Amino acid sequence: MDHHHHQQQHHDHYDGGENDYMQQEDDWDRDMLLDPAWEKQQRKTFTAWCNSHLRKAGTQIENIEEDFRDGLKLMLLLEVISGERLAKPERGKMRVHKISNVNKALDFIASKGVKLVSIGAEEIVDGNAKMTLGMIWTIILRFAIQDISVEETSAKEGLLLWCQRKTAPYKNVNIQNFHISWKDGLGFCALIHRHRPELIDYGKLRKDDPMTNLNTAFDVAEKYLDIPKMLDAEDIVGTARPDEKAIMTYVSSFYHAFSGAQKAETAANRICKVLAVNQENEQLMEDYEKLASDLLEWIRRTIPWLENRVPENTMQAMQQKLEDFRDYRRLHKPPKVQEKCQLEINFNTLQTKLRLSNRPAFMPSEGKMVSDISSAWGSLEGAEKGYEEWLLNEIRRLERLDHLAEKFRQKAAIHEAWTDGKEEMLQHKDYETASLSDIKALLKKHEAFESDLAAHQDRVEQIAAIAQELNELEYYDSPSVNARCQQICDQWDSLGVLTQKRSEALQRTEKLLETIDQLYLEFAKRAAPFNNWMEGAMEDLQDTFIVHTIEEIQGLSTAHEQFKATLPEADKERQAILGIHNEIAKIVQTYHVNMAGTNPYTTINPQEINAKWDKVRQLVPQRDQALIEEHARQQNNERLRRQFANQANVIGPWIQTKMEEIGRISIEMHGTLEDQLTHLRQYEKNIVNYKPKIDQLEGDHQLIQEALIFDNKHTNYTMEHIRVGWEQLLTTIARTINEIENQILTRDAKGISQDQMNEFRASFNHFDRDHSGTLGAEEFKACLISLGFDIGNDAQGEAEFARIMSIVDPNRLGVITFQAFIDFMSRETADTDTADQVMTSFKVLAGDKNYILADELRRELPPDQAEYCIARMMPYTGPDAIPGALDYMSFSTALYGENASFTCLSEDPTSH
């Protein structure tokens, strides 16, 4: 049958009734075009699978397409798998016999509800490899996979779901199909580990080592799970996509191996359960018998012990008997009560179990019935009750004697504990080293002890009385009681004597210490102020002083003399204070009082007083010396002050006078300007000649500074005043001379007469109300109005005044000097304004035009002046302009810079 034929038959080769679970993309028809790698895998897997079943019939196949050709082993395989008998095979060797046998096998497969399509007996007999593999795959599907059922799914999906469920806990395994999901081998290992964790150390496996993983799984499956090795690790790793059928066949073997194990387990469990019930019941019967025997034996041993009534002589022994009885009650009996109870419970449980499992009831052996045990237990309780009553009566009898003895011991012990150490305490000479406050505390403590002692008298009497009673009752340990009582009484008498002695010693010491304390207090009261006086004196004597006058130093000297006068009185006080200290020392020596510590009222001691007194004595002459030296220094300073003041008081007024005289010369204008100038130069000479006096004063000032003298009541002039005055004088004379020279220049330039000059000066001085030598804006305005300028309060007047101010005060200082005033006045009164004259002259050259041409200039003026004008004149831009026209008006104005004519400014602003 050719391949084309196969490809035409494009439908399922095997149909499992309703469940068309073989609808898969790789239909067997297309398997005819399998790649050789898959065919090799299938051949190996299917051979191994067949052998795993055939070995149960004691045979094997070597070659899958050869060994099934006669149909015998094929029929055997189906019988092993299905567990059913097939028709008897034909034993002949002819082709017809082989076909017959193969057909019997195919019919059997068909009878199991499988449609066999395109598989004929002839191809199998002819050894067609692909047909044979197809047929084996059909058998595997039908007998190994179809019956798998997991939850709601079956066959292939069921097997896949089973794999997914079993490998779910393994994070690195994800089974999605029967080909590439198994390539790394972890899926096989996980399945084995899940069911038989002891066979594989899963944690050691690595996803990137598929060969090891696959071989581990295959070897373990073969060795321990009886699943033959159906795949080759090399084939799986070496194929891009391993053969699905081979994998499914192998995985189905795992499913059957593990689910088979589960069934066997269930059967075993059932048998075990039945056996367990029997074994458990037998165990319970044995337990009951043993428990009953043990309990009865214990009761038999215990009753004689409880019936023994021999009394003891001492409380201890009886107490021990009671203790044993209590142990019995507390420790030995409760477990037995528990056992008895348990016994009854076990008996009832056992009977119930036997009844429920249809077994006969349990009959204990002779004398071990529940009732036998109850009756033995009753006897035990009776013996126990009598024993306890006897014990308690016996104990009460001994208790009375023991109680008295115990009372004696207790009271004696308390008393001995209280007296312990009291004798040492009373003999302690702690008062010899105590301070007064300590002694007072010790006295109070001793008084408290005396009350305490009296309070204990009662107990001593009680102890004696109890000892007497024990003697009368003939207590077995009377001798030791009497000895102890005697010792307590003797010690008591001794304590009384010692208490009296200590009391006297404490009172005597207190009196002595009070006397010393009084003296200490007296010492402290007088030593403190005296010490303060000495410290104050030392501080005053070492006190640094800063004085600036003779009077101050004289004041300090007087105070020091007064202080020296008080020293003899102070020395007397010192002797008295030291006397107190000596008195204390005498008492301490006479009465051997051990002085603990020092004077509590002060930290000052005699050594300190003497040391400070010596220091005061030593500081007095040092202070005398310091005051003498300071006195000399102050006398010298006073001399320097007077020397400076005598000169400054002359120089200051001289500078003042000169300043005033210079001011007068410039304002009053006696004589011509030249006369004034001569006069001023004479002044200048006088002033320069005065310089040595200033220098000499500077020298004296230097000495004053070096002596750190900061004030001088003999003069109001400081060097700073004098320096500033001198500078001002020099500046003023120079400036005044300069002003007069400028006025002469102005007068000569403008042709102003001396009378006009005097008139200007008179006007200026008249309005210079504060005699400052300058006019303020308002003063200047008043002056202009008086001279007939039209600057009223209207807008035009204001504008005019502003224009004049910009000329006379171009730097906007707000003051007008006399020089500025003359300049302005001379310009206003001169015949014509200079810029106007020039402009008029240019107009003549220009033939009355408002502009001039370069040729006209070259014609009328010398060459260099003509070129000068042409280079500097701006092009004319008036309405009547022609090309090459030059503006001579703005040029004329520019010649005069800031002092350009007033007329232009006022008449024609456009031409400016």
Side-chain angles (χ1 to χ4, degrees):
M1 203 184 275
D2 62 359
H3 288 295
H4 299 293
H5 180 72
H6 277 291
Q7 285 168 321
Q8 286 156 9
Q9 298 185 0
H10 196 79
H11 49 261
D12 291 355
H13 61 289
Y14 148 50
D15 178 359
E18 295 178 329
N19 298 7
D20 276 6
Y21 53 83
M22 283 314 302
Q23 306 244 318
Q24 344 183 4
E25 72 278 0
D26 46 338
D27 284 340
W28 178 62
D29 342 38
R30 265 176 279 140
D31 289 349
M32 304 315 271
L33 308 173
L34 272 182
D35 75 6
W38 284 5
E39 188 181 325
K40 181 184 167 200
Q41 287 175 28
Q42 282 186 18
R43 191 185 294 271
K44 161 134 183 149
T45 305
F46 293 178
T47 304
W49 184 85
C50 291
N51 284 337
S52 74
H53 292 291
L54 285 170
R55 70 184 171 187
K56 294 171 191 163
T59 183
Q60 293 279 287
I61 60 166
E62 294 297 323
N63 184 320
I64 201 158
E65 65 261 40
E66 287 298 320
D67 296 1
F68 285 138
R69 284 176 62 180
D70 60 4
L72 291 171
K73 285 192 176 174
L74 182 58
M75 290 174 76
L76 187 57
L77 175 66
L78 288 167
E79 284 186 342
V80 172
I81 292 169
S82 67
E84 296 174 29
R85 299 294 296 180
L86 269 70
K88 199 168 161 47
E90 298 197 17
R91 293 291 171 187
K93 295 272 188 259
M94 293 170 71
R95 178 178 169 80
V96 65
H97 297 136
K98 294 179 181 179
I99 290 172
S100 169
N101 286 342
V102 172
N103 270 325
K104 283 175 187 168
L106 294 176
D107 289 347
F108 178 75
I109 297 169
S111 76
K112 293 294 174 193
V114 178
K115 279 183 200 162
L116 286 164
V117 181
S118 337
I119 296 177
E122 286 89 346
E123 281 105 341
I124 305 297
V125 173
D126 293 343
N128 179 322
K130 291 206 163 65
M131 276 293 172
T132 308
L133 290 173
M135 178 187 65
I136 298 297
W137 172 237
T138 304
I139 294 168
I140 293 171
L141 271 176
R142 174 59 189 82
F143 293 101
I145 295 172
Q146 184 186 339
D147 295 338
I148 292 172
S149 170
V150 177
E151 292 171 20
E152 297 301 309
T153 62
S154 58
K156 180 181 177 182
E157 282 71 23
L159 185 58
L160 186 61
L161 184 60
W162 179 76
C163 295
Q164 289 169 340
R165 288 275 181 280
K166 295 297 177 186
T167 60
Y170 301 86
K171 293 282 171 282
N172 51 2
V173 176
N174 180 14
I175 304 297
Q176 294 299 335
N177 51 49
F178 285 113
H179 37 84
I180 56 176
S181 291
W182 301 84
K183 274 190 76 168
D184 58 15
L186 290 174
F188 296 115
C189 294
L191 279 180
I192 296 170
H193 184 264
R194 178 71 191 273
H195 293 89
R196 299 282 302 276
E198 77 281 1
L199 297 180
I200 285 184
D201 183 354
Y202 190 83
K204 287 224 175 95
L205 302 176
R206 297 205 334 273
K207 201 171 178 71
D208 57 8
D209 186 4
M211 288 298 286
T212 304
N213 300 345
L214 289 161
N215 283 322
T216 302
F218 298 164
D219 295 346
V220 168
E222 191 168 33
K223 192 169 172 189
Y224 298 104
L225 304 177
D226 202 22
I227 298 171
K229 193 167 179 183
M230 299 185 187
L231 299 167
D232 270 328
E234 291 81 357
D235 292 348
I236 291 178
V237 172
T239 321
R241 174 172 151 161
D243 179 56
E244 185 172 51
K245 297 190 175 68
I247 302 270
M248 270 174 81
T249 303
Y250 189 43
V251 171
S252 73
S253 303
F254 280 98
Y255 174 84
H256 290 298
F258 291 132
S259 62
Q262 231 162 333
K263 286 192 196 100
E265 207 175 299
T266 311
N269 285 349
R270 184 168 293 120
I271 294 165
C272 292
K273 222 184 215 166
V274 175
L275 293 176
V277 170
N278 266 22
Q279 286 170 315
E280 193 185 350
N281 290 343
E282 283 167 21
Q283 188 60 49
L284 284 171
M285 291 173 195
E286 270 177 49
D287 289 352
Y288 176 86
E289 288 282 328
K290 176 153 177 27
L291 216 56
S293 304
D294 291 354
L295 189 56
L296 288 166
E297 172 57 25
W298 178 79
I299 293 171
R300 191 183 59 68
R301 277 203 322 274
T302 308
I303 290 177
W305 174 67
L306 291 171
E307 287 173 341
N308 173 16
R309 297 281 192 278
V310 180
E312 297 287 347
N313 291 331
T314 67
M315 188 68 180
Q316 279 83 358
M318 282 314 284
Q319 213 76 52
Q320 188 54 50
K321 260 186 170 12
L322 184 61
E323 200 50 52
D324 294 345
F325 180 67
R326 282 185 183 149
D327 275 352
Y328 156 78
R329 268 293 191 53
R330 197 173 64 241
L331 303 174
H332 308 310
K333 191 181 172 192
K336 299 301 172 189
V337 174
Q338 186 66 39
E339 275 173 38
K340 177 174 170 289
C341 178
Q342 193 58 47
L343 198 65
E344 288 160 12
I345 290 170
N346 287 6
F347 184 76
N348 294 339
T349 307
L350 178 57
Q351 299 294 34
T352 307
K353 281 190 168 178
L354 290 169
R355 195 167 64 250
L356 290 176
S357 57
N358 300 321
R359 310 281 203 290
F362 167 58
M363 196 62 195
S365 50
E366 189 65 38
K368 292 183 187 166
M369 301 293 283
V370 174
S371 55
D372 296 335
I373 289 163
S374 291
S375 109
W377 190 264
S379 312
L380 178 79
E381 302 247 281
E384 190 183 300
K385 191 173 189 318
Y387 187 64
E388 188 173 19
E389 282 169 12
W390 172 75
L391 265 180
L392 290 173
N393 287 333
E394 196 54 37
I395 282 172
R396 279 192 203 99
R397 190 178 67 76
L398 282 172
E399 210 173 21
R400 280 190 289 282
L401 255 183
D402 263 6
H403 170 68
L404 270 177
E406 180 51 37
K407 196 170 176 182
F408 173 81
R409 276 194 295 278
Q410 209 179 2
K411 285 193 180 296
I414 290 172
H415 181 76
E416 284 159 358
W418 181 81
T419 57
D420 184 39
K422 294 284 187 286
E423 285 169 303
E424 288 85 341
M425 184 268 288
L426 290 170
Q427 288 165 319
H428 191 31
K429 299 225 163 95
D430 46 2
Y431 51 80
E432 290 184 347
T433 59
S435 66
L436 180 58
S437 57
D438 295 342
I439 286 289
K440 290 194 184 299
L442 287 174
L443 270 165
K444 283 214 169 54
K445 197 168 165 188
H446 190 66
E447 281 165 24
F449 174 74
E450 285 176 323
S451 326
D452 204 6
L453 191 69
H456 281 69
Q457 179 71 35
D458 271 0
R459 191 187 294 125
V460 176
E461 286 164 8
Q462 281 169 5
I463 290 169
I466 296 167
Q468 184 60 33
E469 198 176 342
L470 283 168
N471 281 330
E472 285 162 9
L473 291 172
E474 294 177 346
Y475 175 56
Y476 79 96
D477 199 15
S478 278
S480 74
V481 170
N482 294 339
R484 194 168 179 184
C485 183
Q486 189 57 49
Q487 194 182 353
I488 286 171
C489 294
D490 293 349
Q491 189 192 26
W492 187 251
D493 298 340
S494 159
L495 284 176
V497 174
L498 291 172
T499 301
Q500 186 54 37
K501 277 189 180 164
R502 180 169 174 81
S503 191
E504 290 162 3
L506 285 172
Q507 285 164 354
R508 189 172 61 249
T509 310
E510 183 189 27
K511 286 206 172 51
L512 275 175
L513 288 184
E514 274 177 341
T515 310
I516 291 174
D517 190 66
Q518 277 309 108
L519 290 169
Y520 266 155
L521 188 57
E522 178 70 15
F523 178 87
K525 277 183 183 166
R526 290 174 72 172
F530 185 66
N531 186 55
N532 289 345
W533 175 84
M534 286 195 295
E535 283 177 354
M538 288 195 292
E539 194 178 336
D540 292 346
L541 289 169
Q542 291 174 91
D543 191 19
T544 53
F545 47 78
I546 298 180
V547 291
H548 300 294
T549 63
I550 297 269
E551 290 76 36
E552 285 175 35
I553 193 67
Q554 281 168 344
L556 286 175
S557 299
T558 310
H560 184 57
E561 289 308 317
Q562 286 168 351
F563 168 74
K564 287 202 286 194
T566 65
L567 287 174
E569 196 53 46
D571 195 28
K572 238 186 270 173
E573 176 62 4
R574 181 178 67 89
Q575 303 284 0
I577 292 168
L578 295 177
I580 297 171
H581 186 76
N582 295 339
E583 206 173 325
I584 294 169
K586 232 177 272 164
I587 295 174
V588 169
Q589 230 171 346
T590 312
Y591 295 100
H592 305 294
V593 184
N594 185 357
M595 284 312 295
T598 51
N599 188 334
Y601 303 110
T602 180
T603 51
I604 304 164
N605 58 41
Q607 292 80 351
E608 212 179 316
I609 290 175
N610 284 335
K612 286 183 185 172
W613 176 253
D614 292 344
K615 179 73 175 163
V616 170
R617 299 268 304 280
Q618 178 191 339
L619 287 171
V620 169
Q622 288 175 12
R623 180 72 167 186
D624 288 340
Q625 187 56 36
L627 289 169
I628 290 165
E629 284 167 11
E630 184 57 32
H631 195 269
R633 197 168 74 80
Q634 285 305 328
Q635 279 177 321
N636 187 46
N637 286 357
E638 188 60 19
R639 188 178 55 69
L640 288 174
R641 281 197 193 93
R642 285 182 190 282
Q643 193 173 315
F644 178 85
N646 291 343
Q647 293 182 71
N649 288 343
V650 172
I651 293 170
W654 184 84
I655 291 173
Q656 191 63 37
T657 311
K658 285 286 169 274
M659 286 288 281
E660 287 165 9
E661 287 172 359
I662 292 164
R664 271 204 299 281
I665 293 171
S666 65
I667 292 170
E668 289 170 3
M669 303 187 67
H670 292 303
T672 65
L673 291 173
E674 278 77 7
D675 295 344
Q676 289 175 35
L677 196 57
T678 314
H679 206 158
L680 283 168
R681 290 206 195 286
Q682 189 54 48
Y683 262 90
E684 189 175 25
K685 205 167 175 186
N686 290 352
I687 289 165
V688 171
N689 292 342
Y690 203 77
K691 179 79 165 67
K693 287 204 167 67
I694 302 290
D695 293 344
Q696 188 185 347
L697 191 65
E698 282 283 9
D700 289 350
H701 177 64
Q702 182 69 26
L703 294 174
I704 281 185
Q705 278 190 317
E706 283 163 9
L708 299 179
I709 301 167
F710 302 113
D711 58 337
N712 192 342
K713 63 180 181 186
H714 304 301
T715 179
N716 291 330
Y717 291 102
T718 66
M719 193 64 223
E720 199 49 46
H721 281 134
I722 301 283
R723 279 189 205 126
V724 169
W726 178 250
E727 293 297 334
Q728 271 180 334
L729 183 60
L730 291 178
T731 312
T732 306
I733 188 72
R735 196 177 65 236
T736 310
I737 289 171
N738 176 252
E739 277 177 12
I740 300 292
E741 286 171 339
N742 282 347
Q743 285 172 29
I744 293 171
L745 279 175
T746 308
R747 183 193 66 193
D748 295 350
K750 303 286 184 187
I752 302 170
S753 67
Q754 184 63 45
D755 289 344
Q756 267 178 309
M757 203 58 151
N758 291 355
E759 206 176 301
F760 289 158
R761 186 84 230 191
S763 292
F764 187 87
N765 286 357
H766 176 71
F767 286 101
D768 179 12
R769 308 246 191 273
D770 54 359
H771 303 299
S772 61
T774 57
L775 294 182
E778 288 307 311
E779 290 176 337
F780 179 52
K781 193 172 189 179
C783 181
L784 287 178
I785 292 168
S786 79
L787 292 169
F789 281 81
D790 182 11
I791 43 172
N793 283 334
D794 56 348
Q796 202 181 342
E798 290 292 336
E800 175 65 7
F801 181 61
R803 179 183 72 74
I804 294 171
M805 279 302 281
S806 71
I807 295 162
V808 295
D809 181 19
N811 298 327
R812 307 219 178 140
L813 302 173
V815 294
I816 294 91
T817 61
F818 183 56
Q819 184 63 45
F821 179 69
I822 300 170
D823 285 349
F824 172 71
M825 290 308 293
S826 61
R827 193 181 297 169
E828 284 296 312
T829 53
D831 299 338
T832 346
D833 185 282
T834 32
D836 281 356
Q837 289 173 345
V838 175
M839 240 182 265
T840 313
S841 307
F842 272 122
K843 199 165 190 169
V844 172
L845 298 186
D848 250 3
K849 295 194 296 295
N850 284 330
Y851 56 83
I852 195 160
L853 298 170
D855 290 346
E856 290 172 329
L857 285 167
R858 288 198 184 97
R859 192 169 62 238
E860 302 294 345
L861 294 174
D864 54 343
Q865 271 127 335
E867 292 312 321
Y868 179 87
C869 292
I870 292 164
R872 283 165 180 69
M873 278 185 190
M874 305 295 284
Y876 175 67
T877 58
D880 49 350
I882 64 163
L886 298 170
D887 185 348
Y888 61 75
M889 294 189 194
S890 60
F891 174 72
S892 306
T893 312
L895 285 176
Y896 286 89
E898 295 223 338
N899 301 327
S901 79
F902 305 114
T903 50
C904 319
L905 285 170
S906 54
E907 283 168 10
D908 186 6
T910 58
S911 65
H912 182 53

